[in-house]
Amino acid sequence: MHTYELEGREKVFVVAVGVSVLLVWLLHIGLGAVDFNPQWWLSVPSFAGCYSGFLWLFDRYQWKFGLLRNLKLVSLPDLNGRWIGEVKSSCNSDGSGHKVSAVVLQRWSKMVIRLETEQSRSSSIVASLRTTDLTKPELSYQYVNEPRSDAPGTMAMHRGTATLELDGSRLEGDYYTGRGRGEIGTITLSRCYE
């Protein structure tokens, strides 16, 4: 997985600081009330420990909770899962498409998009997810594509860029490839609910 750009992350760090300070203060008061003096090898979690623990939990689980979305702390769409669809390429003069499947692995701080066709597979190397100032969230990513061993000889490893708009349970948009391939096309994906 690689990190990805996301607007509005600062709010979460500010909340993490506030929650951590409050938790350490409550622990200090609670332990003082019961006259608990731990040994040197057993200390109360420090601010840094609470902050790290909060961010670890948030990164993996908490960012998906509806409550945080209702409080407008998180606007990040959850793209995790399997997607299937079609890729249409400018190299197909008849306008036909190829079946494609994709897997998105996503945390609050990291993600990877893996896409496979019969002839090749690609994996994202950098991404951004825009949610503000748009009518629909937009996923943009750069990828490296590697042809399978039985792919036509005209296919070669290449880089490309895709920009997909999220509309409910569909991702749709355009892609283009780097130098050497000079290909453009469209990608349409629908989320699989298995």
Side-chain angles (χ1 to χ4, degrees):
M1 291 178 126
H2 52 77
T3 58
Y4 63 101
E5 181 60 33
L6 175 67
E7 302 152 336
R9 289 194 184 207
E10 306 82 27
K11 292 186 289 188
V12 172
F13 292 118
V14 169
V15 169
V17 167
V19 167
S20 300
V21 166
L22 181 63
L23 185 59
V24 169
W25 179 70
L26 289 173
L27 280 170
H28 177 72
I29 290 197
L31 292 175
V34 295
D35 199 29
F36 178 68
N37 295 316
Q39 299 294 322
W40 65 269
W41 47 268
L42 178 68
S43 67
V44 175
S46 66
F47 167 78
C50 288
Y51 181 79
S52 299
F54 178 86
L55 286 181
W56 185 88
L57 285 171
F58 189 87
D59 185 50
R60 283 160 181 79
Y61 310 108
Q62 294 170 341
W63 68 274
K64 299 178 190 180
F65 293 165
L67 173 65
L68 298 177
R69 293 178 186 287
N70 293 340
L71 294 172
K72 305 284 188 225
L73 183 63
V74 177
S75 61
L76 175 68
D78 183 0
L79 302 177
N80 273 300
R82 189 165 176 268
W83 300 72
I84 57 169
E86 184 178 54
V87 172
K88 290 187 178 180
S89 166
S90 60
C91 18
N92 291 355
S93 56
D94 63 357
S96 64
H98 300 284
K99 289 182 181 180
V100 65
S101 67
V103 173
V104 177
L105 303 173
Q106 179 186 13
R107 293 183 186 167
W108 179 69
S109 65
K110 296 180 179 186
M111 79 170 6
V112 66
I113 302 109
R114 295 188 179 119
L115 195 127
E116 290 192 31
T117 68
E118 288 181 3
Q119 298 179 341
S120 68
R121 65 185 85 164
S122 66
S123 186
S124 63
I125 54 175
V126 65
S128 93
L129 190 51
R130 292 184 18 184
T131 57
T132 57
D133 300 328
L134 297 170
T135 55
K136 297 174 185 167
E138 183 180 86
L139 171 65
S140 296
Y141 66 95
Q142 291 182 5
Y143 61 87
V144 173
N145 182 281
E146 298 180 16
R148 297 184 186 275
S149 59
D150 59 348
T154 57
M155 291 192 72
M157 188 171 128
H158 63 276
R159 291 177 181 260
T161 300
T163 302
L164 307 175
E165 191 176 77
L166 178 64
D167 188 4
S169 61
R170 290 176 59 89
L171 282 168
E172 286 186 279
D174 303 314
Y175 77 94
Y176 65 91
T177 61
R179 189 182 329 173
R181 297 264 311 159
E183 182 182 318
I184 59 172
T186 60
I187 301 174
T188 305
L189 298 169
S190 296
R191 189 188 294 267
C192 292
Y193 295 101
E194 300 174 303

